[in-house]
Structures are given as structure tokens and as C-alpha cells.
Amino acid sequence: MATRIDSWIWAIRLTKTRSAAGAACRGGHVRLNGAPVKASTTVSIGDRVSVRQGARERIVEVTGLISKRVSASVAAQNYIDHSPPPPPREVIASIPRRDRGAGRPTKRERRELDRFRGATMVVLAVAALGLSACGGDGTSDAVNSTPEPKTGTGPDFERCGGLTADDVVRLTGLAGLDEIVNNPSACEWRRGSAGAPSVSFNWYRGSPIGRERGTEQLSRDSTQDYEIDGQPGFIAHHSSICEIGVAWDADFIEISVQSASPDGTSTKTTDETCAATKRLTETVVKGAS
């Protein structure tokens, strides 16, 4: 019996919906025996499937082929869990909590944030006065504060970062890529309807880069500092996927290149994939206004 991988990971409850399973495959977050796969790839007994879930990676061995959603107890009979333990709570807590792609806070969120900040400042002021009154020499220590990252300090990027399908093909060397997604904050290029190879551009406003970098550190083989035109960021890679993030205070962009072919075989080395990602990033940053 042939079972699609998107159906299988949904059936064993690794994703909440079938559509989420398909989206995970298209985004390069699902691998079969170490290679990224498209949603229609079939699984067999003994295969190893890994699914990236935020800051954690689930790794399971296929022991049963099912394609319909079942209870948790029945689902557990169809796989062996080889997942590493979840990251420590202090690591998760250190990652900023604003949802990826949430964009600018709404007016209501800003009002609530302002009220919270105001209440916090009152508490700090009272504490500072208390310390001053208790001080033997009548002096008070200054309250140290870290400025809030500012939104809207980055360049005004064009749609898709100014990249066209021809630019993406030329700079990556991945032939046959067409524009599949095009909206003000995200663009994606893929080869036909396949999930790979693929290239994506994402622009996040009001979402500091810290959480994204924390996620990459927990799920990629390597995550390192990266800088372009004096702007800080990171470069992360795993197998045939390379991602670069560049920050401007509370705004950042992320460019991702997945060089594997639809059958999961690698068409470029990791170094070649990251070199292509760097070329795309430099083109976008230097061409922005």
C-alpha cells in the first residue's frame, strides 16, 4: 500500500491538519531518510521521517502505513520515536515570542504595550526612589534600561525584494524556477508544482530577528553570525537548505534556498547553496532604497 508522506505525518498526529503537512513539505521542513521531499512522496516500513516543528525536530521511524487520522494511542503503534529531547525551558523562554510573520502590532496591541511599559516605568521609578531614600549618602543609582528595537528602520524593499524569476535563476543556477507566491511580505519561486528546488524571500516588520535565529540554532546543522553593509544577521544551513537573515532593529528579511531536486537528491553542495543564498541577499540589500 502506497502512503503519501503528507498523509502519513498527519495521520500519526505530527501536524494538526493535512494542509499543514503539505505546507511543511513545501517549506522544506520534512525529510525522508535525510533528504527533503515533496508532499506526494511515498513512505515505506523502516523509513526515517523528520519534521521540523518550530524550535524542535521530530524524528520517527515508520512501522505502520496509515493515511487516516487516528487517536494518539493508535498513532503511536505506527512509528518509533527517535526525536532528541525538547530544548530546555530557559532556551525557549529566551526566544522572543512574537509570532513569525505577524507584522506590525495592531493599534490595540500597541495601546496594551504602552500601558504595560507605563506600568513598568512606574514600578521602576518607585523602586529607584526607595533605593535613594535608603542610601547612606543620599544618592541614587540610575535605572539601567535597554532601548526597545524600532520598527520601520530598515530599507523600503520592493516587492519580492526586487528579485524577478530571471534574477533568481541567474543568481542561484537553479533552472526552471517560476514565481509561485507574490505578496507584500513574502515571495517564493519553485520548479513547477514540486516542493524543490525552491527559493523564498520573506520580509518581517515588527518582529525582531532573535526568535528566528534561536529557532535556526536548534534545528540546523550550523548557525553563524553574518553581516552585510554593516547590518547584523545570521546564516544557517542544513543539508541542501541555506538561509540568511539580516536585521534592522525590529525588522528583518530572510532569504532561503533549497537546492535539492524533487526526488530529494542534492543538486548542489552546501557551500554552493550558501554561496547562492549570499548572492541573492547581497543583491536585495544593496538594491534596496
Side-chain angles (χ1 to χ4, degrees), residues 130-155:
L131 290 174
S132 175
C134 294
D137 57 1
T139 62
S140 63
D141 294 329
V143 177
N144 293 324
S145 62
T146 301
E148 287 287 331
K150 296 181 179 179
T151 302
T153 58

Side-chain angles (χ1 to χ4, degrees), residues 95-114:
I95 301 174
R97 307 311 299 173
R98 186 167 180 79
D99 290 338
R100 178 178 177 178
R104 297 177 184 270
T106 64
K107 289 183 178 180
R108 180 179 179 181
E109 289 172 336
R110 288 197 296 269
R111 287 195 299 269
E112 292 174 348
L113 184 59
D114 288 340

Side-chain angles (χ1 to χ4, degrees), residues 14-278:
L14 287 187
T15 62
K16 292 184 177 180
T17 64
R18 172 76 179 272
S19 60
C25 293
R26 291 192 296 273
H29 303 311
V30 178
R31 298 195 304 279
L32 179 65
N33 299 322
V37 291
K38 56 184 179 180
S40 60
T41 302
T42 58
V43 295
S44 303
I45 302 296
D47 283 343
R48 283 213 175 194
V49 176
S50 60
V51 181
R52 178 184 169 197
Q53 297 176 325
R56 189 185 181 195
E57 185 149 21
R58 295 293 305 277
I59 302 173
V60 296
E61 179 181 341
V62 181
T63 60
L65 299 177
I66 58 174
S67 58
K68 300 295 184 181
R69 187 82 162 180
V70 294
S71 66
S73 59
V74 175
Q77 299 172 13
N78 291 275
Y79 66 89
I80 300 173
D81 198 341
H82 299 284
S83 305
R89 290 182 179 179
E90 56 270 21
V91 173
I92 297 176
S94 67
I95 301 174
R97 307 311 299 173
R98 186 167 180 79
D99 290 338
R100 178 178 177 178
R104 297 177 184 270
T106 64
K107 289 183 178 180
R108 180 179 179 181
E109 289 172 336
R110 288 197 296 269
R111 287 195 299 269
E112 292 174 348
L113 184 59
D114 288 340
R115 283 196 294 269
F116 173 79
R117 289 174 180 163
T120 302
M121 291 306 296
V122 170
V123 171
L124 290 174
V126 171
L129 288 173
L131 290 174
S132 175
C134 294
D137 57 1
T139 62
S140 63
D141 294 329
V143 177
N144 293 324
S145 62
T146 301
E148 287 287 331
K150 296 181 179 179
T151 302
T153 58
D156 185 13
F157 292 101
E158 296 181 30
R159 196 101 161 187
C160 301
L163 296 171
T164 65
D166 289 341
D167 293 332
V168 172
V169 170
R170 173 175 54 84
L171 293 169
T172 63
L174 298 171
L177 298 182
D178 295 313
E179 189 177 76
I180 304 299
V181 177
N182 184 325
N183 63 54
S185 61
C187 291
E188 185 176 351
W189 299 264
R190 294 200 303 265
R191 187 176 295 166
S193 60
S198 65
V199 175
S200 65
F201 165 84
N202 289 277
W203 183 11
Y204 302 101
R205 283 158 283 187
S207 181
I209 200 172
R211 180 182 182 186
E212 182 65 17
R213 173 160 184 158
T215 298
E216 300 295 344
Q217 284 182 277
L218 293 168
S219 61
R220 299 304 187 197
D221 290 339
S222 173
T223 304
Q224 300 175 335
D225 291 337
Y226 178 77
E227 182 178 301
I228 178 170
D229 283 358
Q231 297 304 129
F234 67 82
I235 180 168
H237 65 76
H238 180 91
S239 186
S240 61
I241 299 174
C242 189
E243 296 165 309
I244 290 178
V246 183
W248 290 264
D249 288 333
D251 300 339
F252 76 95
I253 62 169
E254 184 179 49
I255 293 178
S256 175
V257 175
Q258 180 183 352
S259 60
S261 59
D263 62 4
T265 58
S266 181
T267 60
K268 293 181 180 294
T269 65
T270 299
D271 287 344
E272 290 172 336
T273 303
C274 286
T277 311
K278 289 179 180 179

